[in-house]
Amino acid sequence: MQPWQIIAEHIAQVTGTPFDPLEPRHIGGGCINTAVRLMDGGRGYFVKLNSASLIDMFEAESDGLQAMSETETIRVPKSLCSGIADGQSYLVMEYIDMGHAGRDGSAKAGRQLAEMHRANWTSYGWHRDNTIGSTPQPNSPNDSWIDFWREQRLGFQLNLAERNGYGGSLRRGGERLLEGFHALIDHQPQPSLLHGDLWGGNMAYDPEGNPVIYDPAVYYGDREADLAMTELFGGFGNAFYDAYRESWPLEPGYSTRKVLYNLYHILNHLNLFGSGYLGQASSMIDRLLAEI
Ligand code: ADP
């Protein structure tokens, strides 16, 4: 049986309505997975595909979409089902026609993200590990934000970088940073529900102009980590930041923590995409060491 037939049957089973799709249409824009739109005459679904071994990644993504969706704040595609078909793992979710922000769209996104960040937990981390891009992301619950960030975010990526051949001065600088960490960050934020991978490519607007966020790497942590990432590859515009801060002001010291939080993503890019990110990772470490 073709994978599409198996996936269509799974969709029919969970929706309780027969589903007989036309030829799948490929959708570009993703970094990690193959994505298609599966439609019959009326209904449409967004389907991601990857190798069968990555089924855990899709199940964790589905849990993350569900967790954000339950806050009923910012719009998130509803996750439908996941599984393995014809040697490939798949994740099916609601299809949303993604477009650009209309009038007030960015301000709405800022407000709704702040509302989502009000959802909190007792510890930093999550009930399961997940992935950031395709890199494993450990989320063992921890009561100390500083320890969580040092061990499960920066320490984890620095170890991975060394295994990928980026040891040497990156490792030495990284170790000094991990040792001096407490001087940089004296912070016990509430554990907020985070998207976890909130760059511009993971937010768009539905046809009614509502912001939509997708492709998450969810965990509970400092909400500033989400905001920092929005600034990493271009920024979300003043209206977004003004609305966020009006809903929930940031604490002093954000500008330093921002570098510390974004270093995680740059190290992850180094590990995923290679040496093009080495210079940026090293200069971020140097900048942080200069502040210790
Ligand atoms: P990847 O996991 O490969 O990075 P994404 O989840 O970022 O893939 O999705 C790739 C592209 O597909 C996005 O940039 C977005 O434009 C589009 N997209 C994502 N989710 C949906 C959805 N539920 N409905 C329609 N289009 C979507």
Side-chain angles (χ1 to χ4, degrees):
M1 219 195 279
Q2 287 286 312
W4 308 120
Q5 283 171 276
I6 299 170
I7 294 169
E9 275 177 21
H10 200 171
I11 293 172
Q13 188 194 326
V14 295
T15 58
T17 319
F19 182 59
D20 187 15
L22 307 163
E23 270 299 294
R25 206 188 78 201
H26 281 265
I27 295 174
C31 302
I32 306 293
N33 304 293
T34 304
V36 300
R37 178 184 187 174
L38 211 50
M39 277 202 87
D40 63 7
R43 292 183 292 165
Y45 297 97
F46 182 76
V47 184
K48 285 187 178 191
L49 296 156
N50 211 316
S51 62
S53 61
L54 293 174
I55 183 64
D56 279 357
M57 177 177 85
F58 282 153
E59 286 174 359
E61 179 171 343
S62 174
D63 276 6
L65 291 171
Q66 173 80 16
M68 293 194 298
S69 184
E70 279 169 6
T71 67
E72 296 182 357
T73 53
I74 194 162
R75 186 168 183 194
V76 174
K78 294 221 175 333
S79 174
L80 218 75
C81 57
S82 57
I84 296 179
D86 196 26
Q88 295 185 80
S89 55
Y90 61 86
L91 170 63
V92 181
M93 66 188 89
E94 157 189 29
Y95 184 90
I96 300 174
D97 255 324
M98 304 289 187
H100 295 289
R103 214 173 140 263
D104 300 332
S106 300
K108 196 170 190 180
R111 265 194 311 276
Q112 292 186 338
L113 182 69
E115 283 165 21
M116 187 183 95
H117 285 161
R118 297 269 178 202
N120 58 71
W121 202 37
T122 46
S123 302
Y124 305 101
W126 203 30
H127 68 91
R128 67 181 297 166
D129 295 342
N130 51 11
T131 49
I132 176 92
S134 55
T135 309
Q137 175 167 270
N139 292 319
S140 298
N142 195 311
D143 291 340
S144 158
W145 173 242
I146 295 174
D147 290 348
F148 179 83
W149 195 261
R150 186 174 48 201
E151 290 156 21
Q152 300 193 56
R153 292 295 179 262
L154 292 190
F156 182 84
Q157 288 284 348
L158 284 164
N159 286 341
L160 200 56
E162 187 167 31
R163 287 207 294 281
N164 286 334
Y166 307 109
S169 65
L170 185 82
R171 176 85 224 173
R172 285 191 296 279
E175 258 163 26
R176 280 175 53 214
L177 179 63
L178 297 183
E179 279 160 22
F181 213 71
H182 283 267
L184 271 181
I185 171 171
D186 169 21
H187 198 49
Q188 278 289 348
Q190 77 156 54
S192 289
L193 182 68
L194 305 186
H195 176 284
D197 194 8
L198 196 55
W199 68 290
N202 285 344
M203 183 169 88
Y205 292 83
D206 73 11
E208 284 77 48
N210 298 304
V212 187
I213 56 176
Y214 44 86
D215 199 17
V218 160
Y219 64 100
Y220 287 85
D222 184 357
R223 63 201 171 96
E224 291 176 357
D226 260 358
L227 283 183
M229 190 169 197
T230 66
E231 294 192 52
L232 185 56
F233 301 115
F236 281 23
N238 287 342
F240 172 86
Y241 298 107
D242 290 348
Y244 186 97
R245 285 192 160 94
E246 207 171 286
S247 301
W248 196 353
L250 299 185
E251 289 172 32
Y254 168 66
S255 58
T256 299
R257 289 191 294 272
K258 178 169 81 178
V259 181
L260 196 63
Y261 295 156
N262 282 341
L263 175 58
Y264 173 62
H265 295 292
I266 294 301
L267 288 171
N268 188 40
H269 276 64
L270 174 66
N271 285 318
L272 280 175
F273 306 121
S275 60
Y277 289 92
L278 185 57
Q280 195 176 355
S282 299
S283 67
M284 287 169 96
I285 290 174
D286 290 345
R287 187 173 154 194
L288 289 164
L289 287 175
E291 294 201 32
I292 289 178

